[in-house]
Amino acid sequence: MDKRYQFFKKLTVYIVFFIVLIFALIKSKEFLVPILLAILFSYLLYPIAQFLEKRGTPRILSNLAAIFSAILILAGFIFFLSTQVSLLTEDLPRHMEQATTNINRIAGGFASLIGVPEEQLRQRTISMAADFIEDYGELLRSVFAVTTSTVVRIFLMPVYVFFLLYYRNKVFDVILWMAKKDQKGETQKIINEVNAVSTNYMTGLLIVVLILSITHSVALTIIGLEFAILIGVVAAIFNFIPYFGTLIGAIFPLVFGFLTSDTLTTVLWIAIYFVRVYMIYCGKVI
């Protein structure tokens, strides 16, 4: 009886702790998300800061130079994306017309196969496609909309990154201080391995995304898809998701190509291209 009581007592404590932890994470997400992003950016900028420090540049100047360079690159990237999205949303009526044409073409053949009146199927499909395009346009506008909280996070992010880079040794010292005396050597080894793996992983992942952005943009341009650079970059960004990022990123080019191209051959070539990229990517990962 006592053992069962102790078991349920511990289980209750664990459940309450888990619920409180989840609640605290949800309530503190406005603070934790920028911190986590700052940690990721710190690992990305660490090689640059370390490179400058090894050549005699003071740590403060090295960190500021790395952060300032990242801000310039990120600002140019955001400006490019926002410009392309504005052009895309302004061109939505023309894409709606082409999407209607494509849907009418497919609905005619599909209706006869399933025994549904062609006009009914056509109107229903057109309505769904129109809602999808309008909703997607609104989503793009909302993503790039500037709010007060967004501005605050943007300005706080470089501050977090700077202090994480500047006091990185202090963080490691605190971790070593908490370790037992006979475990300090092993703890130091684990810290160095985690730091090296995290830095190499984030740097390699960024290089992969940059390469795929160029590759997707060139391939989609050759295929003849409109807004090929924007769509290629967006598809490449999804590769931050391990394994399935390429397939998830391919959905947007396929849907966009189906709705806006005047021939289904374009969609076929897009599908072939992304399947090939996914096979190569999986081969490299495995």
Side-chain angles (χ1 to χ4, degrees):
M1 188 70 179
D2 290 338
K3 291 183 178 180
R4 293 180 61 184
Y5 173 76
Q6 292 296 330
F7 171 76
F8 285 111
K9 182 180 177 180
K10 290 182 179 179
L11 181 62
T12 304
V13 171
Y14 289 146
I15 293 175
V16 172
F17 174 77
F18 181 76
I19 294 174
V20 172
L21 178 62
I22 297 297
F23 179 78
L25 290 175
I26 293 174
K27 288 297 182 181
S28 59
K29 65 180 180 179
E30 297 295 330
F31 170 76
L32 291 178
V33 171
I35 291 293
L36 293 175
L37 290 176
I39 293 174
L40 294 178
F41 279 115
S42 298
Y43 276 114
L44 284 175
L45 298 180
Y46 173 71
I48 301 175
Q50 187 183 43
F51 174 82
L52 295 175
E53 286 182 30
K54 287 183 178 180
R55 279 150 183 79
T57 307
R59 176 169 291 190
I60 292 179
L61 295 180
S62 299
N63 295 341
L64 290 176
I67 293 172
F68 185 70
S69 301
I71 290 175
L72 289 179
I73 295 173
L74 190 60
F77 177 72
I78 293 175
F79 175 77
F80 163 76
L81 283 183
S82 60
T83 303
Q84 291 294 307
V85 168
S86 298
L87 294 175
L88 177 59
T89 53
E90 290 175 1
D91 214 21
L92 278 180
R94 183 173 63 85
H95 294 320
M96 291 269 299
E97 294 179 2
Q98 184 62 51
T100 303
T101 303
N102 292 343
I103 292 171
N104 289 335
R105 185 189 311 166
I106 295 177
F110 192 68
S112 59
L113 292 176
I114 61 177
V116 176
E118 180 177 339
E119 188 62 27
Q120 179 182 348
L121 179 62
R122 183 179 302 170
Q123 292 299 326
R124 196 166 187 177
T125 309
I126 291 174
S127 177
M128 292 174 60
D131 292 340
F132 172 81
I133 295 176
E134 290 178 2
D135 292 343
Y136 195 82
E138 291 298 325
L139 176 62
L140 291 176
R141 293 189 189 98
S142 63
V143 167
F144 289 91
V146 178
T147 62
T148 303
S149 61
T150 304
V151 173
V152 171
R153 292 176 190 173
I154 290 174
F155 280 102
L156 283 178
M157 191 73 65
V159 178
Y160 293 150
V161 173
F162 174 81
F163 284 112
L164 286 170
L165 288 174
Y166 188 77
Y167 291 109
R168 59 182 182 269
N169 293 339
K170 300 294 183 182
V171 177
F172 297 150
D173 291 341
V174 171
I175 297 175
L176 287 175
W177 176 76
M178 292 188 296
K180 296 180 180 180
K181 290 184 179 180
D182 58 342
Q183 296 179 345
K184 290 188 182 295
E186 185 67 22
T187 303
Q188 179 68 56
K189 181 181 178 182
I190 293 174
I191 290 174
N192 293 335
E193 290 178 354
V194 170
N195 187 42
V197 171
S198 301
T199 302
N200 293 335
Y201 175 76
M202 291 303 301
T203 304
L205 191 60
L206 180 62
I207 293 174
V208 169
V209 171
L210 291 175
I211 293 174
L212 288 177
S213 297
I214 298 173
T215 306
H216 290 348
S217 300
V218 172
L220 294 177
T221 300
I222 295 174
I223 292 173
L225 190 66
E226 294 189 70
F227 298 98
I229 298 178
L230 171 64
I231 297 172
V233 171
V234 172
I237 291 175
F238 280 98
N239 282 269
F240 280 109
I241 303 174
Y243 296 104
F244 301 104
T246 301
L247 291 180
I248 297 174
I251 294 175
F252 178 44
L254 286 171
V255 173
F256 187 81
F258 170 74
L259 295 177
T260 61
S261 300
D262 56 357
T263 173
L264 293 179
T265 306
T266 302
V267 181
L268 178 61
W269 279 113
I270 294 174
I272 293 173
Y273 166 73
F274 276 98
V275 168
R276 183 58 180 166
V277 169
Y278 181 72
M279 292 172 62
I280 296 174
Y281 181 74
C282 286
K284 294 292 182 182
V285 173
I286 297 173

